[in-house]
Every structure is written in structure tokens, then in C-alpha cells.
Amino acid sequence: ISDIDDTVLASDVSSKLRMAVKVLLTNAHTRMPLPGVGAHYRAFEKGHGEEHNPIFYVSNGPWNLHDLLVEFFRVNGIPLGPIYLRDWGAHLVLARKPSGTHKRREIAKIMAFFPDVPVVLIGDSGEQDPEIFLSVLKEFPGRVEVIYIRCVGKSRERLEAIERLGDEIRSAGTDFLLVQDSESAAIHAAGRGLIPVQAIEAVRRDKRNERNR
């Protein structure tokens, strides 16, 4: 189960102005995925060849971006899956910071619908993903294999808060990693047996190709 903004594609979600400019002036073909995400998520979807793991996307973005996101995934080789967005309205425009209610509610629905399936949660440090994921972990003990948080901010206060959350998550028996990129997450996932070891090199190639585009 993955966040989208600043987890799959660079959105500057912490700055509404920069995010709005990107939405207005770019399209599915000009938006860039974060380096390595495509290969990383394809490895998660494929697993070790015998299974086909579903990937769910949960975002605070509005529903009118759904078609753009689907095309963006197709263009960049990112596995398609159900995308859970929010209804557009003043509550999105005027809110000082995104609420975690929507993400938490949708993640809980997914986990309740698949009661016997373990999950990996992927988000970023720019919003409330670490707090949301900890809340989900408490509601569904033993269900979350790993939590990956992409580091998108350099605030010392925020990083220290996330590390405290990480300690609480680890104490509950779930791996927690604050990572810089998909390669770091892929190395850990391969070590846990969640993806094949050879997928690490595919993620590295993906990173190089995207940076050279």
C-alpha cells in the first residue's frame, strides 16, 4: 500500500504553490517518477515469480487527477492498482496541512477486506505518513511486514520525531526504514525475501535511466 505524492512522483506536497504549478503545467508524459520507483514496485508486484502481489495507492489528492495518474503509471512502467483519492472541495484548498483521516480510513478498509494478507506500507516524511502507519499498525497488529518512509525533508525536528515513531514501530515487531531512495528500500526488501535479489540491479538501472531522461 503506497502513498503517491513525493513517494512515487515528485510533487512538493509540502508547498501548495509548487505543487499546484506542477499539476497545472505538466502532464502524464512530462511528470517524472522518483528514481527507481518503477522497477522497485514491479519487483514487489511480481514477488518471486509464483505470486502476483496487488499494489494499492492511497493519496490525499483529488479524484480529478485519477486519469492523469493512471496514464502516468502506464508511461513510466509503474504497476497499476486501485487508486484511492479524495473528493475535491474547499477542505482541500483551505486546509493548512493534509489530514490523515482519509489515508488511514482507506488503508484500514483495504486491510479489513484482505484479513489474511500481510502488507508493506510505503510513504514519505513530508506529510503524516509515519503517524498514519503507526496508527494502522496498532489497529492491525502482526499484519504489517515493513514500513518504508522516503525522506523528503531536512528539518531536524521532523526527522527526530520520525525516528521516535520508528522506534515505537520497531518495538511492535515491524521493520521501519527511513530511506533516501528506492534502491535503499529494495536492498532491504531483498534481504527480507520480499523481492528477488536481482531486482536491486533493475532498480539501479531504472534510477540511471530516469536521471538521464
Side-chain angles (χ1 to χ4, degrees):
I1 303 175
S2 174
D3 177 46
I4 297 176
D5 292 312
D6 288 331
T7 302
V8 175
L9 75 164
S11 301
D12 286 319
V13 74
S14 59
S15 168
K16 290 187 178 181
L17 177 59
R18 289 196 298 268
M19 183 175 68
V21 169
K22 285 189 176 182
V23 171
L24 292 172
L25 300 182
T26 59
N27 57 46
H29 294 263
T30 57
R31 292 294 294 271
M32 295 294 292
L34 290 167
V37 165
H40 188 204
Y41 281 35
R42 291 193 298 273
F44 268 130
E45 182 185 50
K46 187 176 181 181
H48 286 274
E50 299 299 323
E51 67 264 32
H52 179 88
N53 301 313
I55 298 181
F56 301 86
Y57 300 94
V58 180
S59 171
N60 278 321
W63 275 108
N64 63 313
L65 295 180
H66 182 273
D67 291 349
L68 181 147
L69 290 170
V70 169
E71 183 65 13
F72 170 82
F73 289 163
R74 287 174 174 158
V75 168
N76 291 286
I78 299 170
L80 292 173
I83 303 173
Y84 297 85
L85 301 168
R86 293 202 295 174
D87 291 330
W88 178 260
H91 61 287
L92 289 184
V93 178
L94 300 177
R96 290 189 176 184
K97 61 181 181 179
S99 167
T101 305
H102 163 73
K103 283 186 184 179
R104 189 192 179 288
R105 180 177 62 246
E106 299 305 327
I107 292 172
K109 286 181 182 178
I110 295 166
M111 295 184 69
F113 193 79
F114 298 97
D116 301 318
V117 178
V119 302
V120 172
L121 299 176
I122 309 176
D124 65 85
S125 62
E127 295 188 88
Q128 295 177 302
D129 292 346
E131 289 85 353
I132 294 167
F133 293 169
L134 175 59
S135 176
V136 169
L137 179 68
K138 291 178 177 178
E139 183 177 355
F140 298 93
R143 292 282 307 282
V144 181
E145 295 267 335
V146 186
I147 292 175
Y148 296 110
I149 297 294
R150 182 183 290 269
C151 183
V152 298
K154 302 300 181 183
S155 164
R156 181 177 178 180
E157 181 181 2
R158 178 58 177 157
L159 292 177
E160 289 176 349
I162 291 173
E163 283 300 337
R164 289 193 295 271
L165 291 167
D167 289 341
E168 189 172 352
I169 290 168
R170 294 184 194 102
S171 68
T174 293
D175 281 3
F176 174 89
L177 274 83
L178 183 63
V179 299
Q180 296 297 324
D181 57 24
S182 292
E183 182 179 345
S184 302
I187 290 171
H188 176 271
R192 280 290 309 269
L194 300 174
I195 64 175
V197 173
Q198 56 267 31
I200 298 172
E201 183 55 35
V203 172
R204 289 173 178 154
R205 287 197 305 270
D206 220 23
K207 284 174 59 178
R208 290 193 296 267
N209 292 338
E210 285 159 10
R211 284 171 176 166
N212 292 331
R213 282 170 61 177

